[in-house]
């Protein structure tokens, strides 16, 4: 009796599981808006190029601006030619 009950419980747990998002930050933008929907429920909108732009969007909302830790830009190659000191 225990094995069928355990099998049914396992199947129910697998069928009700929801997929999780792998990453909440978009690496294309340096600033994200964290929007609060409830006490512990929030989401990120990573579509801002500056803190000022993000703060304008956050004005009047339950939201705050955060720096994107996964921002991929700004790490461009430096000029490989080195200046010579004469």
């Amino acid at each position: 009796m225990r094995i069928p009950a355990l099998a049914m419980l396992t199947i129910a747990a697998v069928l009700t599981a929801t997929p999780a998002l792998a990453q909440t930050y978009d690496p294309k933008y340096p600033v994200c808006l964290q929007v609060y929907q409830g006490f512990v429920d929030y989401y990120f909108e990573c579509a801002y190029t500056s803190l000022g732009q993000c703060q304008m969007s956050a004005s009047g909302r339950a939201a705050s601006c955060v720096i994107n830790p996964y921002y991929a830009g700004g790490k461009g190659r430096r000029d490989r030619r080195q200046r010579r000191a004469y």
Side-chain angles (χ1 to χ4, degrees), residues 5-44:
L6 184 60
M8 288 179 20
L9 181 63
T10 303
I11 291 171
V14 169
L15 292 177
T16 59
T18 59
L21 296 175
Q23 188 173 359
T24 57
Y25 297 97
D26 186 0
K28 297 176 190 171
Y29 297 98
V31 181
C32 297
L33 179 68
Q34 184 176 6
V35 181
Y36 302 98
Q37 293 179 323
F39 188 65
V40 293
D41 187 23
Y42 58 90
Y43 65 93
F44 290 95

Side-chain angles (χ1 to χ4, degrees), residues 32-37 42-43 45 48 54-55 57-66:
C32 297
L33 179 68
Q34 184 176 6
V35 181
Y36 302 98
Q37 293 179 323
Y42 58 90
Y43 65 93
E45 290 179 4
Y48 303 97
C54 178
Q55 289 169 348
S57 182
S59 178
R61 299 169 65 182
S64 63
C65 297
V66 294

